[in-house]
Amino acid sequence: GNIKLNDTQIKILDSLTENKYLSATKLAEITGISKRNVEKNIKKLKESGVLLRHGSPKSGYWEIVD
């Protein structure tokens, strides 16, 4: 799609490409971005249809939609 991603979102997606099971907490650790900011950007990615969540919060995983 034509969605403009910010640097934070790109970092999140890069990390999830390597490990789709990462939690927001882990993503914050890896990217050095605050957990609140990670969650806010994940919400935007989900709303724009770039990111899909499968399964439960504890044992689920992310799918990146091209």
Side-chain angles (χ1 to χ4, degrees):
N2 302 333
I3 298 149
K4 185 81 184 79
L5 300 176
N6 64 33
D7 290 346
T8 300
Q9 292 164 349
I10 290 163
K11 280 182 189 169
I12 290 169
L13 293 174
D14 282 348
S15 301
L16 290 176
T17 301
E18 290 177 27
N19 182 357
K20 64 184 179 181
Y21 296 100
L22 292 171
S23 63
T25 307
K26 278 278 179 233
L27 281 166
E29 285 171 22
I30 291 166
T31 56
I33 298 157
S34 73
K35 183 166 181 263
R36 193 166 153 268
N37 199 0
V38 166
E39 287 173 337
K40 197 174 70 184
N41 280 285
I42 282 176
K43 187 166 178 275
K44 283 184 185 158
L45 289 167
K46 283 163 77 175
E47 283 168 359
S48 54
V50 177
L51 206 51
L52 291 178
R53 181 73 184 173
H54 296 279
S56 70
K58 281 272 180 262
S59 63
Y61 64 92
W62 298 99
E63 179 189 348
I64 297 165
V65 184
D66 288 323

